[in-house]
């Protein structure tokens, strides 16, 4: 009987239907007390703040119309169940309980074991409110009227990198006895990375790779001088125009003169190659075409200028020849057809907008129908022409004499060499013609400007008898490797026997 009495006592102790002493107020009791208490003092308002923060069931301002509830819970608090709320309430009330010395005697190991067995986790390590899962998408048609003040979106690597253009030349070479004549073309850079420069009556070669200097040729008479230079596309042969009305052709590797072609009646100040055809412009205003493969080299004559032809450039595709003269004209001529009449004057375009001598000419390598021209001291304008339509696309007053133009394809820019009054080099963004940079250093007017074979460096020669190399168009290593892979070796008929 004593055993049954003990079991009854145990069952009576474990019964939960009797009131719990010192337990927190139930949620329904807190809610009822908050609704019944209307005139609370300011001091008591803090005790019921937890219960009064309940979101109302009805939308304010609307009668008998309940806000539709959406499945999935709160959009900004994805996971929030009743168990978490109970744990949060217990932890908050536990903080306000007085510390009992007897409870402190219980070891933390036992508390952890009881919590793990009852809750499945240690209550001391539990968070008051744990948020998990992904937030729900905004409802269809929702618009956020807030303005974005800051964004953490990463900037592309290509935009982050800034291009540095040095204001100082990479190398300075002496050019003694250089003839300070605006109408001559005394500098050229071959595809084999060799620079040719005319110093009075001599032609010197400087190997940009090895640094070697070679005297290629010298005119016999001291009073004669070199007027123009032009490399073939392959860089094996050099054409030399002289003041004694001749055009010489030299084999650079053998350092041997192959032939001397006489057809002009005055000095030859400009030269340009188109495969096996060499075009030469003279002070008489005539342009001669020479087929260097045959003995009778003079195949055509163009009489379009009334004064000296100081600018001559074939287009990259070989279709057109552009010429500029001291008569302020810019003319475009068609390619010479084999078997055509020896005297050809059918001009494709002729522009007279310049007010000064036109020596600076440049064809755009990525737009073969675009031609750039620059005027002398009395004009000072860069003009961009569309050969197909014959229109002037854009014009820019540089406030300085223009002696040379070249397109830099690495960054799609236009480079101009200037004489009086700036005596410098300017880099312009194409086609906007906004100035990118200026290269200063020459103490006299810049006479000629050329581009290196890899299009990364420009060389300028000036009346101060110096040649300056500016490494202003170096490509990124990644872009440089891609460009090298795309480059294809080309052959030309110039390798045929030259008589």
């Amino acid at each position: 009987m004593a055993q049954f009495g003990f079991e009854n006592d145990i069952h009576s102790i474990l019964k939960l239907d009797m009131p719990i002493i010192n337990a927190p107020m139930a949620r329904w009791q807190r809610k009822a007390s908050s609704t019944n208490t209307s005139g609370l003092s300011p001091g008591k308002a803090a005790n019921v703040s937890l219960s009064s923060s309940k979101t109302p069931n009805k939308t304010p301002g609307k009668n008998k119309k309940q806000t539709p509830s959406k499945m999935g819970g709160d959009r900004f608090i994805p996971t929030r169940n009743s168990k978490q709320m109970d744990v949060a309430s217990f932890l908050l009330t536990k903080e306000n309980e007085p510390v009992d010395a007897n409870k402190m005697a219980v070891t933390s190991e036992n508390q952890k074991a009881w919590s793990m067995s009852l809750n499945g986790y240690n209550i001391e390590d539990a968070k008051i409110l744990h948020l998990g899962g992904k937030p729900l998408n905004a409802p269809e048609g929702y618009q956020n009227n807030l303005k974005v003040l800051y964004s953490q979106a990463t900037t592309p690597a290509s935009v982050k990198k800034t291009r540095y253009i040095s204001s100082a030349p990479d190398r300075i070479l002496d050019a003694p006895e250089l003839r300070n004549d605006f109408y001559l073309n005394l500098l050229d850079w071959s595809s084999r990375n060799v620079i040719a420069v005319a110093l009075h009556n001599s032609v010197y070669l400087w190997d940009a790779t090895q640094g070697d200097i070679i005297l290629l040729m010298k005119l016999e008479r001291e009073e004669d001088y070199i007027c123009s230079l032009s490399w073939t596309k392959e860089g094996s042969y050099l054409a030399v125009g002289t003041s004694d009305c001749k055009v010489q052709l030299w084999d650079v590797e053998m350092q041997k003169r192959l032939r001397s072609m006489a057809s002009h009646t005055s000095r030859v100040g400009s030269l340009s190659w188109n495969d096996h055809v060499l075009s030469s412009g003279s002070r008489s205003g005539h342009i001669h075409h020479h087929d260097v493969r045959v003995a009778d080299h003079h195949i055509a004559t163009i009489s379009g200028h009334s004064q000296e032809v100081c600018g001559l450039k074939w287009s990259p595709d070989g279709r057109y020849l552009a010429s500029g003269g001291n008569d302020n004209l810019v003319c475009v001529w068609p390619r010479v057809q084999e078997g055509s009449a020896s005297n050809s004057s059918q001009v494709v375009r002729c522009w007279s907008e310049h007010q000064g001598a036109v020596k600076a000419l440049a064809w755009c390598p990525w737009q073969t129908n675009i031609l750039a021209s620059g005027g002398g001291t009395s004009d000072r304008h860069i003009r961009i022409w569309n050969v197909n339509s014959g229109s002037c696309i854009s014009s820019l007053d540089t406030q300085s004499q223009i002696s040379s133009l070249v397109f830099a394809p690495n960054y799609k820019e236009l480079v101009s060499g200037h004489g009086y009054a700036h005596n410098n080099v300017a880099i312009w963004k194409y086609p906007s013609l906004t100035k990118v940079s200026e290269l200063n250093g020459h103490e006299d007017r810049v006479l000629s400007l050329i581009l290196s074979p890899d299009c990364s460096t420009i060389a300028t020669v000036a009346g101060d008898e110096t040649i300056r190399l500016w490494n202003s168009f170096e490509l990124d290593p990644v872009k440089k490797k891609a460009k090298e892979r795309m480059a294809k070796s080309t052959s030309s008929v110039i390798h045929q026997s030259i008589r």
Side-chain angles (χ1 to χ4, degrees):
M1 295 298 292
Q3 181 178 359
F4 290 109
F6 176 74
E7 290 180 357
N8 292 332
D9 295 337
I10 293 298
H11 283 297
S12 62
I13 293 174
L14 295 178
K15 282 184 179 180
L16 298 179
D17 55 354
M18 59 183 64
I20 301 176
I21 303 173
N22 294 332
M25 185 181 297
R27 187 174 181 180
W28 64 270
Q29 293 176 344
R30 294 198 303 270
K31 185 176 179 180
S33 62
S34 62
T35 54
N36 293 332
T37 307
S38 57
L40 294 177
S41 62
K44 296 181 180 180
N47 296 330
V48 296
S49 60
L50 292 177
S51 61
S52 61
S53 61
K54 177 70 176 179
T55 303
N57 291 331
K58 294 184 179 181
T59 304
K62 294 184 181 180
N63 298 326
K64 298 182 180 181
K65 186 176 180 182
Q66 189 174 2
T67 304
S69 60
K70 298 181 180 179
M71 300 302 293
D74 197 334
R75 176 172 173 241
F76 299 101
I77 305 177
T79 304
R80 183 175 63 181
N81 51 37
S82 58
K83 184 177 180 181
Q84 290 183 358
M85 297 302 296
D86 294 339
V87 173
S89 176
F90 170 74
L91 293 177
L92 288 174
T93 55
K94 183 180 178 182
E95 291 180 355
N96 299 327
E97 291 182 355
V99 179
D100 191 355
N102 296 330
K103 291 183 179 181
M104 292 296 295
V106 182
T107 60
S108 61
E109 288 80 5
N110 293 337
Q111 290 181 353
K112 182 178 180 180
W114 294 341
S115 178
M116 292 295 295
S117 61
L118 294 175
N119 305 315
Y121 54 89
N122 187 7
I123 195 67
E124 298 294 337
D125 299 335
K127 297 180 179 179
I128 293 180
L129 189 61
H130 177 73
L131 306 180
K134 296 182 179 180
L136 301 178
N137 294 328
E140 186 177 357
Y142 175 78
Q143 293 182 354
N144 187 1
N145 297 324
L146 299 178
K147 295 182 179 179
V148 178
L149 299 180
Y150 176 75
S151 175
Q152 288 184 335
T154 56
T155 307
S158 59
V159 178
K160 285 183 178 179
K161 295 181 180 179
T162 57
R163 173 183 165 205
Y164 171 73
I165 300 177
S166 175
S167 59
D170 286 359
R171 187 184 291 268
I172 301 177
L173 305 174
D174 289 331
E177 296 187 76
L178 179 77
R179 196 172 186 87
N180 190 354
D181 192 333
F182 173 81
Y183 300 98
L184 304 184
N185 296 272
L186 307 177
L187 189 69
D188 201 12
W189 203 331
S190 75
S191 58
R192 297 188 177 184
N193 207 21
V194 177
I195 293 179
V197 58
L199 304 178
H200 187 49
N201 61 351
S202 304
V203 175
Y204 286 87
L205 305 179
W206 180 71
D207 191 334
T209 304
Q210 304 294 334
D212 301 331
I213 300 176
I214 300 173
L215 173 61
L216 179 65
M217 56 88 68
K218 185 176 182 179
L219 297 177
E220 296 178 358
R221 299 192 303 174
E222 187 65 26
E223 60 269 19
D224 293 335
Y225 55 91
I226 309 297
C227 299
S228 54
L229 299 172
S230 182
W231 288 97
T232 59
K233 185 177 181 180
E234 290 74 17
S236 303
Y237 305 99
L238 179 67
V240 181
T242 62
S243 62
D244 59 352
C245 315
K246 292 183 176 63
V247 178
Q248 298 183 11
L249 189 61
W250 284 79
D251 186 337
V252 176
E253 293 182 358
M254 302 298 297
Q255 298 184 25
K256 178 182 178 181
R257 189 180 73 178
L258 300 178
R259 66 186 303 176
S260 179
M261 298 176 290
S263 61
H264 288 285
T265 58
S266 57
R267 71 176 187 180
V268 182
S270 55
L271 295 168
S272 184
W273 285 93
N274 186 13
D275 290 337
H276 57 274
V277 175
L278 174 63
S279 301
S280 58
S282 69
R283 178 178 274 180
S284 64
H286 292 169
I287 300 172
H288 291 182
H289 294 308
H290 310 270
D291 190 342
V292 299
R293 303 171 299 176
V294 297
D296 191 7
H297 56 87
H298 185 196
I299 59 175
T301 300
I302 298 176
S303 303
H305 293 275
S306 59
Q307 297 187 39
E308 182 170 10
V309 180
C310 48
L312 207 59
K313 287 290 173 62
W314 277 101
S315 61
D317 56 4
R319 295 178 57 194
Y320 301 112
L321 174 67
S323 62
N326 196 29
D327 54 1
N328 307 343
L329 295 180
V330 178
C331 299
V332 178
W333 311 91
R335 183 187 179 116
V336 180
Q337 300 295 332
E338 295 185 6
S340 61
S342 59
N343 197 347
S344 175
S345 60
Q346 295 179 357
V347 64
V348 177
R349 302 290 179 191
C350 188
W351 298 292
S352 58
E353 279 79 356
H354 284 288
Q355 303 300 318
V358 181
K359 175 191 175 185
L361 294 171
W363 290 93
C364 182
W366 60 90
Q367 288 180 300
T368 56
N369 63 322
I370 298 300
L371 174 67
S373 61
T377 307
S378 56
D379 181 73
R380 306 171 301 180
H381 278 74
I382 295 176
R383 287 182 166 88
I384 309 297
W385 310 94
N386 188 325
V387 177
N388 294 341
S389 63
S391 61
C392 181
I393 300 175
S394 57
S395 178
L396 174 69
D397 187 0
T398 63
Q399 302 294 325
S400 184
Q401 178 190 47
I402 304 170
S403 60
S404 240
L405 286 174
V406 66
F407 280 95
N410 286 357
Y411 292 94
K412 292 189 175 182
E413 293 168 335
L414 180 63
V415 189
S416 58
H418 297 276
Y420 179 81
H422 294 163
N423 298 336
N424 64 357
V425 177
I427 302 175
W428 313 88
K429 190 65 180 176
Y430 179 82
S432 62
L433 294 183
T434 56
K435 184 175 289 187
V436 177
S437 179
E438 286 186 357
L439 306 178
N440 300 294
H442 281 293
E443 299 176 359
D444 205 328
R445 62 179 178 179
V446 177
L447 298 173
S448 294
L449 181 149
I450 52 175
L451 192 64
S452 64
D454 62 353
C455 304
S456 65
T457 305
I458 55 173
T460 56
V461 63
D464 58 2
E465 297 186 349
T466 62
I467 300 173
R468 299 173 187 253
L469 276 65
W470 315 80
N471 188 8
S472 304
F473 310 96
E474 187 71 31
L475 277 176
D476 293 337
V478 177
K479 294 182 179 179
K480 188 175 182 181
K481 290 181 180 179
K483 185 178 180 181
E484 291 175 354
R485 287 195 299 265
M486 293 295 293
K488 297 180 181 179
S489 59
T490 58
S491 58
S492 176
V493 292
I494 194 65
H495 290 296
Q496 299 181 20
S497 60
I498 300 178
R499 301 179 185 179

